[in-house]
């Protein structure tokens, strides 16, 4: 069964330090993976998608099929990065399954 | 409005009461999803519509949960005889064509927080 695991519920990082939010998945086939973010008092929104190979707000995520991971990284954390982050994996044709989320806090 | 709109934002119900949660998706969005998010958890899929057709309701936790989208636009999630374990944030999301799995972009509402006493 498809599953997404985010092992860290909470992560605190100093401003300017590198950030890595972990995501592991179980999936048979070639997965498409996504990161969603929820800033304080805002709605859940798409941050980036694996298929686009994009960098959004300085974040990147590389799919590692050998390790079945899709970790989210940013070299220098900023205070505005504090938020809840969810890794997501499609299953079926139209649904997304989400991880339990990691709350990132950037310490000034 | 430009985004997905949900109402009510907050609902307190006594155990056994029926509740109805409304979702108004982005105009023109074909697909509509309901998710349930319990405290400290990620969103869990409940059901999915394409236009007025409910194509998947495999995530509905019991027959007390019912969703409809009769005209392919506004959707209502109804919970009958609410129980304490139904307490959660209910998120509605919509997406345009093409297939979600190709783009992954769901547009979420702010959610309806249900508390069952």
């Amino acid at each position: 069964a498809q599953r997404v695991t985010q092992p860290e519920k909470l992560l605190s990082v100093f401003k300017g330090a590198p950030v890595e939010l972990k995501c592991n998945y179980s999936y048979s086939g070639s997965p498409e993976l996504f990161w969603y973010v929820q800033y304080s008092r805002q709605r859940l929104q798409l941050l980036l998608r694996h298929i686009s190979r994009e960098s959004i707000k300085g974040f990147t995520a590389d799919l590692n099929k050998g390790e079945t991971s899709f970790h989210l990284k940013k070299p220098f954390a900023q205070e505005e990065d504090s938020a809840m982050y969810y890794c997501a994996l499609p299953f079926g044709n139209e649904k997304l399954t989400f991880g339990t989320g990691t709350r990132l806090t950037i310490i000034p | 409005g430009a985004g997905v709109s949900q109402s009510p934002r907050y609902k307190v119900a006594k155990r056994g009461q029926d509740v109805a949660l409304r979702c108004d998706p982005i105009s023109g969005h074909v697909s509509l999803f309901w998710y349930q998010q319990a405290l400290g958890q990620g969103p869990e899929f409940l059901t999915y519509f394409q236009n007025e057709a409910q194509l998947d309701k495999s995530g509905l936790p019991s027959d007390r949960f019912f969703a409809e989208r009769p005209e392919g636009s506004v959707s209502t999630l109804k919970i009958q005889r609410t129980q304490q374990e139904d307490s959660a944030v209910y998120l509605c999301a919509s997406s345009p064509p093409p297939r979600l799995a190709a783009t992954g972009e769901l547009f979420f509402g702010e959610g309806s927080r249900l508390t069952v006493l």
Side-chain angles (χ1 to χ4, degrees):
Chain A
Q2 289 105 328
R3 177 184 288 182
V4 173
T5 303
Q6 293 180 252
E8 302 147 326
K9 276 201 169 295
L10 303 170
L11 181 64
S12 295
V13 172
F14 284 100
K15 179 182 173 181
V19 175
E20 182 178 69
L21 296 159
K22 292 184 168 55
C23 172
N24 291 92
Y25 65 90
S26 59
Y27 183 87
S28 55
S30 295
E32 297 297 341
L33 285 144
F34 310 93
W35 278 98
Y36 275 74
V37 62
Q38 187 167 24
Y39 300 103
S40 179
R41 288 184 289 279
Q42 294 188 28
R43 59 191 70 195
L44 192 59
Q45 60 187 282
L46 179 67
L47 177 63
L48 60 78
R49 67 199 90 184
H50 154 248
I51 194 171
S52 301
R53 304 286 195 273
E54 56 202 349
S55 172
I56 302 292
K57 299 184 178 183
F59 283 98
T60 58
D62 291 321
L63 181 64
N64 185 323
K65 292 184 180 179
E67 296 182 357
T68 59
S69 68
F70 188 58
H71 302 330
L72 184 67
K73 300 178 183 179
K74 184 170 182 176
F76 307 103
Q78 298 172 289
E79 288 185 62
E80 55 264 34
D81 297 329
S82 292
M84 279 293 296
Y85 291 81
Y86 296 93
C87 187
L89 172 71
F91 71 104
N93 285 332
E94 299 293 342
K95 301 177 283 193
L96 284 179
T97 185
F98 289 85
T100 52
T102 299
R103 181 173 296 282
L104 176 64
T105 301
I106 305 303
I107 304 166
Chain B
V4 176
S5 178
Q6 291 188 246
S7 62
R9 291 289 315 281
Y10 303 92
K11 175 69 179 178
V12 178
K14 292 182 180 178
R15 189 164 58 93
Q17 190 176 355
D18 297 349
V19 299
L21 308 176
R22 176 190 167 104
C23 173
D24 203 335
I26 294 172
S27 177
H29 278 196
V30 168
S31 300
L32 185 146
F33 303 81
W34 283 99
Y35 281 80
Q36 180 190 57
Q37 186 170 23
L39 190 63
Q41 301 297 315
E44 298 270 355
F45 171 81
L46 292 177
T47 186
Y48 153 62
F49 291 85
Q50 190 169 88
N51 296 306
E52 69 279 3
Q54 189 175 20
L55 299 186
D56 189 330
K57 54 182 181 179
S58 62
L60 295 177
S62 78
D63 59 7
R64 296 186 295 104
F65 287 70
F66 171 77
E68 61 183 4
R69 193 186 185 197
E71 296 178 0
S73 178
V74 171
S75 177
T76 303
L77 176 67
K78 298 178 179 177
I79 310 173
Q80 296 177 320
R81 305 181 303 282
T82 52
Q83 304 294 316
Q84 284 188 324
E85 62 262 29
D86 300 334
S87 295
V89 175
Y90 290 86
L91 295 170
C92 177
S94 67
S95 72
R99 285 176 54 230
L100 171 67
T103 69
E105 184 147 26
L106 289 179
F107 294 83
F108 281 89
E110 294 178 295
S112 292
R113 181 179 297 277
L114 172 64
T115 302
V116 182
L117 302 177

